[in-house]
Amino acid sequence: MSEIAKIEIEGKQYEFPVVTGTENEKAIDISKLRSSTGYITLDPGYKNTGATTSSITFLNGEEGILKYRGYSIEDLAEKATFLEVAYLLIYGDLPNKSELDVFTATITKHTLVHEDMKQFFEAYPAKAHPMGVLSSMVCSLSTFYPESLDPNRSHEAKDLTMMRLIAKLPTLAAWSYKNAMRHPFMYPKNDFDYCENFLHMMFAMPTEEYKVDPVVVNALNKLLILHADHEQNCSTSTVRIVGSSQANLFASISAGISALWGPLHGGANQAVIEMLERIHQDGGDIDKWVEKAKDKDDSFRLMGFGHRVYKNFDPRARIIKKACDDVLDKLNIEDPLLDIAKKLEKVALEDEYFKDRNLYPNVDFYSGIIYRALGIPTEMFTVMFALGRLPGWVAQWKEMTENKEPIGRPRQIYTGIVKREFVELEKR
Ligand code: CMC
């Protein structure tokens, strides 16, 4: 017999169906709550609200489990390539050899961006944050592909738009960096794979080839996979809610990139390095900064600590911590910020404040350190997160459109003034 939840309001009982996920997660389906009771639920930050059902990603924050389409993140990070994972997220299964060949060839074919877009880049000031540039450029793609404006046009048209975006994002990301440096843009090279090509566009110069280091390519592949999806987080929910108005894919992903930018979300990887630099410049007194983070009158928080859903450990952080050690070892890198990060991690993990609140290092605590070791400039860190998250956003947008989900439109409880008489300007 299916489960029922009973809610009593003003002495009257109402019944609501219980929905059970394939991992035995439970939800009370309150979609008829307002029409049957007149009440709504109030849940700031949506801490207890499921906005959708989804078959893409499963995560269990208490046990530190993350799976894409049933595959553990540990297996995927160890054994797959980023494009295989992108295919898995978007189409539901790992590709076989010929499916992967076609997918890779399609993406490789679309890596160039329209020459006219170069002029957009050139108009941005050198100090423009690359996230601002990236978000604008992704939205601008919609102006070059008017056929993408109707997300329901056809399966083929939808596929082409998704492939175009996955192909072009590394080019747009690398060019936003080149533009900030006022260096010439490097065109994509189709004999490189996805990660190699991005590194080439970032670091090669017309005067100098970029020598691809397999250690760097491996680390980048892993980082992108670890970031590829994370169910209904702030940016993904943004993509779904923008897409629910039937806005096109480029507009929806551009909004997701903006949502990712904030330091409480994807911007945390940049904020971690800036925090470590601050602590270093201040003399490296870890205890002082840990005390500041605990002080309720001080707005300082330990960036890279804590997570909305992981209350035990972040499984991505475990994998990345190991990758971080490997990369620093293999590239023979010594970094004073790394020493501070290690000390900070130890002090915070032993401190009662952090233990009581289940605050552990998250994926962004270590990703910033690896990006730094790979030579990626700090302001590009969140762009790297966006590159990794793109297949997840695309898969979630595709699922949302295929499920024909209704337009997202939360309610509110109004707490303002009830009635006021209008007073003419001269009398106010
Ligand atoms: N440093 C110090 N105290 C903290 C921190 C922190 N980093 N994070 C949470 N707390 C405290 C917070 O003050 C509160 O204390 P109290 O119960 O005494 O009021 C308690 O822990 C719970 O915090 P919360 O803000 O209610 O937790 P949340 O789930 O709303 O926020 C978070 C999660 C990630 C926004 C928060 O932990 C944070 O601001 N962390 C730093 C930013 C960061 O690293 N973000 C990256 C997240 S991982 C990338 C991604 O997936 O987006």
Side-chain angles (χ1 to χ4, degrees):
M1 206 182 80
S2 48
E3 276 181 82
I4 295 286
K6 291 182 182 157
I7 301 179
E8 193 175 304
I9 304 174
E10 295 169 358
K12 198 170 164 204
Q13 270 208 357
Y14 300 88
E15 292 188 347
F16 297 93
V18 168
V19 178
T20 307
T22 47
E23 291 267 7
N24 214 25
E25 301 162 289
K26 304 267 185 190
I28 304 166
D29 176 355
I30 50 97
S31 50
K32 303 252 172 350
L33 180 70
R34 189 168 181 277
S35 58
S36 54
T37 69
Y39 281 67
I40 62 164
T41 55
L42 188 61
D43 185 19
Y46 312 120
K47 293 192 179 193
N48 309 283
T49 297
T52 187
T53 56
S54 176
S55 56
I56 301 171
T57 290
F58 171 74
L59 81 80
N60 178 327
E62 284 71 33
E63 292 177 29
I65 296 172
L66 175 63
K67 296 190 223 174
Y68 299 158
R69 303 279 192 189
Y71 294 98
S72 80
I73 191 66
E74 287 79 9
D75 266 359
L76 292 171
E78 187 61 38
K79 299 173 189 158
T81 63
F82 178 61
L83 283 191
E84 278 179 280
V85 171
Y87 186 101
L88 169 72
L89 287 167
I90 297 169
Y91 298 112
D93 293 303
L94 280 171
N96 62 28
K97 171 87 175 67
S98 64
E99 286 164 338
L100 184 62
D101 287 349
V102 172
F103 185 67
T104 307
T106 312
I107 288 186
T108 308
K109 188 173 132 193
H110 288 286
T111 47
L112 264 183
V113 296
H114 199 289
E115 277 296 290
D116 289 352
M117 280 191 96
K118 274 170 70 180
Q119 294 168 29
F120 296 2
F121 277 102
E122 282 151 12
Y124 284 110
K127 284 196 163 61
H129 195 287
M131 283 297 275
V133 176
L134 193 68
S135 169
S136 316
M137 286 298 174
V138 167
C139 203
S140 302
L141 284 174
S142 64
T143 64
F144 288 84
Y145 303 102
E147 68 280 12
S148 70
L149 297 184
D150 174 6
N152 302 316
R153 207 159 154 246
S154 69
H155 274 306
E156 293 71 32
K158 204 175 200 168
D159 260 7
L160 180 58
T161 303
M162 294 188 298
M163 295 309 105
R164 275 194 175 126
L165 183 51
I166 294 174
K168 292 178 199 313
L169 199 72
T171 313
L172 296 176
W175 284 14
S176 70
Y177 167 63
K178 287 287 193 197
N179 189 54
M181 302 286 289
R182 293 295 189 253
H183 284 173
F185 299 129
M186 293 304 296
Y187 284 88
K189 269 179 89 170
N190 286 356
D191 49 341
F192 281 146
D193 75 16
Y194 198 81
C195 291
E196 291 169 345
N197 186 39
F198 172 71
L199 292 165
H200 150 78
M201 289 187 288
M202 278 286 289
F203 297 119
M205 294 287 270
T207 46
E208 210 176 308
E209 281 281 304
Y210 171 73
K211 288 204 181 53
V212 178
D213 182 336
V215 173
V216 175
V217 174
N218 252 330
L220 181 59
N221 183 59
K222 207 167 270 198
L223 279 161
L224 296 183
I225 291 175
L226 292 177
H227 284 92
D229 196 44
H230 213 227
E231 52 120 294
Q232 308 310 315
N233 54 80
C234 175
S235 55
T236 303
S237 302
T238 302
V239 169
R240 285 185 89 123
I241 209 162
V242 173
S244 76
S245 75
Q246 306 208 349
N248 64 80
L249 178 70
F250 298 123
S252 306
I253 301 291
S254 161
I257 293 173
S258 297
L260 187 74
W261 193 355
L264 298 190
H265 190 15
N269 51 18
Q270 174 176 341
V272 167
I273 294 296
E274 287 166 354
M275 173 187 76
L276 295 174
E277 274 166 352
R278 228 171 124 193
I279 298 177
H280 181 51
Q281 279 155 15
D282 187 55
D285 182 349
I286 305 291
D287 292 333
K288 171 182 155 189
W289 289 85
V290 170
E291 285 313 309
K292 267 169 82 62
K294 288 155 56 174
D295 181 355
K296 290 285 160 226
D297 297 324
D298 192 322
S299 61
F300 175 74
R301 279 187 167 199
L302 278 194
M303 299 317 284
F305 275 78
H307 200 276
R308 170 57 63 79
V309 286
Y310 293 123
K311 299 299 179 193
N312 185 343
F313 68 93
D314 180 341
R316 304 167 302 170
R318 274 202 180 158
I319 303 170
I320 225 169
K321 184 177 186 329
K322 179 159 184 321
C324 186
D325 289 342
D326 286 354
V327 165
L328 295 168
D329 211 34
K330 285 191 191 133
L331 298 180
N332 218 355
I333 285 180
E334 282 182 28
D335 186 344
L337 295 198
L338 183 68
D339 298 335
I340 293 181
K342 281 186 175 154
K343 282 188 206 149
L344 190 62
E345 184 191 7
K346 187 166 185 304
V347 172
L349 286 176
E350 285 167 3
D351 191 290
E352 288 308 316
Y353 173 96
F354 288 86
K355 282 208 254 180
D356 285 352
R357 289 167 182 74
N358 294 317
L359 300 171
Y360 297 88
N362 57 49
V363 68
D364 286 329
F365 188 69
Y366 303 105
S367 63
I369 297 167
I370 304 198
Y371 288 138
R372 201 173 137 92
L374 304 188
I376 310 265
T378 313
E379 283 212 326
M380 282 293 287
F381 288 2
T382 315
V383 168
M384 303 305 296
F385 193 151
L387 268 189
R389 184 55 54 88
L390 181 65
W393 286 332
V394 167
Q396 301 267 353
W397 178 87
K398 180 169 175 278
E399 182 181 67
M400 184 273 309
T401 55
E402 286 170 359
N403 289 352
K404 304 212 179 320
E405 290 184 10
I407 184 165
R409 202 316 185 174
R411 313 280 312 199
Q412 64 161 23
I413 294 294
Y414 176 67
T415 57
I417 296 167
V418 174
K419 188 169 178 357
R420 295 210 261 193
E421 295 303 329
F422 185 80
V423 181
E424 299 302 325
L425 184 59
E426 333 42 272
K427 296 190 187 152
R428 273 178 238 155

